Structures are given as C-alpha cells and as structure tokens.
Amino acid sequence: MNEKKFITLVGRVVTLMGALLFLSLFLGVVVIYLHRFYDPTDFREKDNVGSAAIHDRQAVGTKVKDGVHVETGFIADEGYELVIANCTGCHSSKLVIQNRATREGWKNMIIWMQTTQNLWDLGTSEEKILTYLARHYASKEQGRRKQLANIEWYELEE
C-alpha cells in the first residue's frame, strides 16, 4: 500500500470514528432527556385534577382469586386498581408488597418518588392509595418469618 492510499484510509477511519462519537453523544442526550422529562401519564386517561385514572377495568386485568389480584399479587380491595395504575407503571408490584409502612411512611415514600423519581401528582387518588396501602401493607410487629411450632426435635448422632 502506498502512502497516499494509507493517508486516505486513515482519513476515512477518523471520519467514521468522529461520526460514531457524534451519534453516541446524540443518543446519550436523547436518553437523558427522555429519562428526565418523559411523563408516563401522557398516554393515560386523566381525571379532572390531572392524575392517572383507570376507567376500563379490563385494562388492569380483573382476575381475582382468593381475594388477591392474580397479575400483581395485590390484595383485591377498594383502591387496589389505583395502586396498580399509579405504581406498577414504574416498578413491580412486588416492590410495594414487600414493603411495610404506616400511612405517614407511605406518604413519605410518595413524596420521595415525586421529588426524586418524577412521580406525577396523584391528585384526589392519593388519599385512596394511602388508605389502601396503610390498610393492607402496614408495619407488622414480627420478624422475617413466623416462629416454628409443633416441631419434634431429635439429637444428631455422631
């Protein structure tokens, strides 16, 4: 390969690398913009105060078995559909179910999510959501599991 062809090849490689760098920077800016300013409620039906609302029960999935919503594991009681609509768009229902808090604790979590995670204003739904969470996922006075009972112990032989 002669010197002229080599310089041409290097020029093309540098141009390609510059284009790839520009493309990656552009995509990075788009991702940051979407993460910072994207509002998931834009595609949901809103009630008169702007909070996401579920008007079609079929959109959530209505199968309840033994008092538990099958798809999410939430206890099927008044307000669970609002919790599904406003919580599971960003994280798994398991994250809610595994946590326990007082009404004030749940309120503080909502405030934290609104402050740091771009959670939208829940409007009039907030009170119903807090009531549901405080009723079914309140703090418990117990350890990580129930104590063992009715166990027949035996000695290990050496």
Side-chain angles (χ1 to χ4, degrees):
M1 178 183 311
N2 66 28
E3 187 176 310
K4 191 172 185 177
K5 285 183 180 182
F6 179 76
I7 291 174
T8 304
L9 180 63
V10 169
R12 287 181 180 171
V13 169
V14 169
T15 303
L16 180 61
M17 288 175 58
L20 290 174
L21 179 63
F22 175 79
L23 181 62
S24 62
L25 287 173
F26 175 77
L27 290 175
V29 169
V30 169
V31 167
I32 290 169
Y33 175 83
L34 289 177
H35 178 71
R36 179 116 174 122
F37 299 106
Y38 171 70
D39 183 2
T41 62
D42 287 346
F43 300 103
R44 297 184 187 179
E45 210 170 323
K46 295 185 179 183
D47 63 19
N48 59 0
V49 292
S51 66
I54 293 263
H55 297 288
D56 179 8
R57 290 177 52 91
Q58 296 304 319
V60 176
T62 57
K63 187 169 183 183
V64 173
K65 183 175 181 182
D66 298 325
V68 176
H69 183 249
V70 175
E71 290 179 37
T72 61
F74 285 128
I75 296 170
D77 193 13
E78 183 179 346
Y80 85 98
E81 292 169 317
L82 288 171
V83 174
I84 292 169
N86 288 284
C87 300
T88 61
C90 297
H91 54 72
S92 167
S93 60
K94 291 177 184 179
L95 187 61
V96 177
I97 293 168
Q98 75 183 7
N99 285 290
R100 300 288 174 174
T102 62
R103 183 182 187 89
E104 182 180 331
W106 285 113
K107 173 72 174 168
N108 289 337
M109 284 186 238
I110 289 171
I111 291 169
W112 176 81
M113 287 183 278
Q114 288 172 330
T115 304
T116 64
Q117 307 299 309
N118 295 323
L119 174 62
W120 50 88
D121 179 17
L122 299 173
T124 58
S125 299
E126 184 172 309
E127 283 303 311
K128 295 173 187 172
I129 290 169
L130 286 171
T131 299
Y132 173 84
L133 293 172
R135 181 182 308 131
H136 297 291
Y137 303 103
S139 299
K140 291 184 179 180
E141 293 292 327
Q142 74 179 46
R144 63 184 180 98
R145 64 170 172 80
K146 293 181 182 178
Q147 291 185 355
L148 301 174
N150 301 324
I151 302 293
E152 289 186 35
W153 295 100
Y154 58 91
E155 298 224 5
L156 293 175
E157 296 178 14
E158 292 183 36

